[in-house]
Amino acid sequence: MIKVNDNFTLLSPSYLFSDIAKKVSAYRSSHPDADIIRMGIGDVTRPICPAAIEAIHKATDEEASSATFHGYGPEQGYDFLREAIARWDYRERGIDVSPDEIFVSDGAKSDTGNIGDILSADCRVAVTDPVYPVYVDTNVMAGRAGECGSDNRWSRLEYLPCTAENNFCPPLPKNNPDVIYLCFPNNPTGTALRRDELARWVGYALANNCLILFDSAYEAYVSDPEVPRSIYEIEGARRCAIEFRSFSKTAGFTGLRCGYTVVPRELKGFDSKGNEVSLHHLWLRRQSTKFNGASYVIQRGAAALYSEEGRRQVRETISYYMANARMLREGLAEAGFTVFGGVDSPYIWVRPPEGIH
Ligand SMILES: *Cc1c(COP(=O)(O)O)cnc(C)c1O
C-alpha cells in the first residue's frame, strides 16, 4: 500500500486567485467597454539588467570549454557571490554577517518553505495575518498547524493581526510560540516596521527563547531611513533570527531563480534531550544533503548585480517600480480609496469605500 503524508491531505486548495479571476470575468461580461487594470497577481515586468545579462552570457560561454567549465558547485554557493553579498548587503551597511553564514539558493520560497526541516514538529508557530501562504502551508505539511477551522484558521497556529487599526504592526504573541514568521516590508500589505518596532520583536524573541524567521525579500525597496533593511541591524538579532533574501524582487530574477539565507553562527536550538545544537550546522547539513547548489551561470549573474554598474541598474529598476507604486497609491487615493503601503515596498493595500468589495 502506498501510504501518503496525511498532512498534505489537510491542505485546502487556494481559491483566492481563481475567485478574483471569476469576479473579473463576470465584471468584463457585464461591462464590455471597461478598460480593466489588473493589480491582483504579481510578477516583475522589467527585464534583467544589462550587467547581469552580460555576466550570464560570459558564464554560459565558460561552460562551453573544458578549461573553464563548472560542474557541481559548493552547496552553500560560490565564494564570489557570498563575498559580494556579505560586503554589499551587510558590511557596507555596518551589519555583521560573514560570507560563511550565507547560504545561496534557488530562491526565498524554497528556503522559507524548507527551513522547517531543521525544526521540531512540536514547535508552536506564529504568523502575521494576512500572511505569505508558504509559511502556513509548509507548516501544515510538517504537521505543526493542527486542524483547519471553518474560519480557515489552523488550530495550532497563532495569528497576529496586521490591520490599519494597529498600523500594520503586529501585536506580540500571547501563546508562547517557538517560531515567528515576520515579513517586512510586508507582502501583501506593503507596510514596513520601523527600527524601534522590530527591536521590540527581537527583544521578545531573546526573552522568550524563540526563533524569528525574517523574510526581507523586499529590502531593496526600503526608502525610509527609520526602516531597517535587515533584522541584523537590531542588536541581539544574530542570536534569534534567520534572514531570507531573494534576487527576485530586487533584480527581476523570478525566472532565473536565486536567493540566499543567513544563519548566524551564534544561533542555537535544543534537541529533545536538552542539548544545545547549532542551527547553522543543521541548515548546512540539510542543504548539503538535499540541495546541490544554485546554477553557476545564475550565481555569476547575481554577483554582477553588486558591481558599480549593477548596483546603479538595480536602483533604476526599483525607482521605476516605486514610481508605479506612487502612481497607483495617488490615483487610488484620489478615487476615494484608503491606501496603505507603497512607500517602502512595491505593494499597495487598499480599503475600498463602503459598498465596494
Ligand atoms: C516573492 C517572495 C518570496 C520569494 O521569492 P523567490 O522568487 O522564491 O525568491 C519570498 N517571500 C515573499 C514574501 C515574497 O513575496
Side-chain angles (χ1 to χ4, degrees):
M1 185 156 61
I2 299 171
K3 294 187 180 168
V4 302
N5 179 344
D6 264 359
N7 296 321
F8 280 65
T9 68
L10 302 174
L11 291 166
S12 54
S14 166
Y15 293 115
L16 178 65
F17 293 116
S18 61
D19 277 356
I20 293 173
K22 272 185 219 146
K23 284 188 184 178
V24 171
S25 67
Y27 188 86
R28 190 188 293 282
S29 50
S30 58
H31 303 77
D33 299 330
D35 191 8
I36 295 172
I37 304 171
R38 288 169 178 267
M39 295 185 280
I41 306 183
D43 195 350
V44 295
T45 53
R46 303 296 285 172
I48 305 299
C49 67
I53 286 296
E54 197 182 310
I56 287 167
H57 277 298
K58 187 162 162 271
T60 305
D61 288 340
E62 285 178 43
E63 296 299 76
S65 140
S66 56
T68 51
F69 168 77
H70 287 76
Y72 286 127
E75 291 97 347
Q76 222 185 312
Y78 282 97
D79 285 346
F80 63 77
L81 178 55
R82 288 157 66 209
E83 271 158 19
I85 293 167
R87 172 170 179 199
W88 291 104
D89 287 348
Y90 294 106
R91 209 161 56 241
E92 296 276 331
R93 295 181 193 152
I95 305 167
D96 174 24
V97 165
S98 71
D100 82 334
E101 295 174 312
I102 296 166
F103 294 79
V104 173
S105 73
D106 63 351
K109 187 182 200 175
S110 319
D111 288 353
T112 53
N114 292 330
I115 196 73
D117 275 13
I118 66 166
L119 301 172
S120 162
D122 295 338
C123 282
R124 306 282 310 209
V125 174
V127 295
T128 57
D129 177 26
V131 63
Y132 181 58
V134 175
Y135 314 152
V136 171
D137 288 357
T138 55
N139 278 290
V140 174
M141 292 171 183
R144 289 191 199 94
E147 284 156 28
C148 192
S150 53
D151 54 356
N152 232 351
R153 301 271 167 141
W154 294 88
S155 59
R156 276 189 97 243
L157 298 186
E158 180 169 4
Y159 292 86
L160 309 166
C162 288
T163 61
E165 287 63 40
N166 64 22
N167 208 15
F168 301 94
C169 180
L172 292 173
K174 295 194 182 74
N175 301 340
N176 232 344
D178 306 297
V179 180
I180 302 164
Y181 289 81
L182 294 179
C183 171
F184 288 99
N186 187 255
N187 174 5
T189 66
T191 58
L193 289 190
R194 288 190 321 262
R195 197 163 275 107
D196 57 317
E197 293 168 327
L198 189 57
R200 219 160 52 95
W201 280 91
V202 169
Y204 173 87
L206 289 172
N208 295 279
N209 297 315
C210 53
L211 173 66
I212 296 177
L213 298 175
F214 192 73
D215 186 340
S216 64
Y218 296 93
E219 60 86 19
Y221 291 83
V222 169
S223 61
D224 181 346
E226 287 307 307
V227 170
R229 295 174 66 157
S230 164
I231 194 165
Y232 303 120
E233 289 178 43
I234 312 290
E235 181 75 37
R238 289 179 53 85
R239 285 179 283 123
C240 65
I242 291 176
E243 178 158 280
F244 303 93
R245 294 254 179 117
S246 170
F247 295 104
S248 287
K249 318 303 161 44
T250 307
F253 273 42
T254 52
L256 297 181
R257 312 300 312 140
C258 199
Y260 64 88
T261 289
V262 177
V263 188
R265 289 272 180 200
E266 289 93 314
L267 207 48
K268 297 288 184 337
F270 294 89
D271 69 15
S272 58
K273 300 188 193 75
N275 300 312
E276 204 174 70
V277 181
S278 153
L279 295 191
H280 182 279
H281 178 76
L282 293 192
W283 186 242
L284 178 60
R285 194 72 178 79
R286 190 267 172 214
Q287 288 300 80
S288 49
T289 301
K290 292 197 184 180
F291 183 62
N292 245 338
S295 131
Y296 168 71
V297 171
I298 300 306
Q299 288 191 62
R300 280 289 179 200
L305 302 171
Y306 295 100
S307 68
E308 205 177 319
E309 283 286 275
R311 283 178 289 129
R312 188 177 50 72
Q313 291 164 4
V314 164
R315 275 197 303 274
E316 271 171 24
T317 307
I318 286 175
S319 311
Y320 167 87
Y321 288 125
M322 289 311 289
N324 282 350
R326 192 176 319 116
M327 239 185 287
L328 289 172
R329 196 159 43 87
E330 290 171 1
L332 286 162
E334 240 167 77
F337 295 82
T338 309
V339 186
F340 307 95
V343 176
D344 296 302
S345 99
Y347 291 121
I348 312 253
W349 192 243
V350 178
R351 173 180 282 164
E354 287 293 309
I356 296 184
H357 49 83

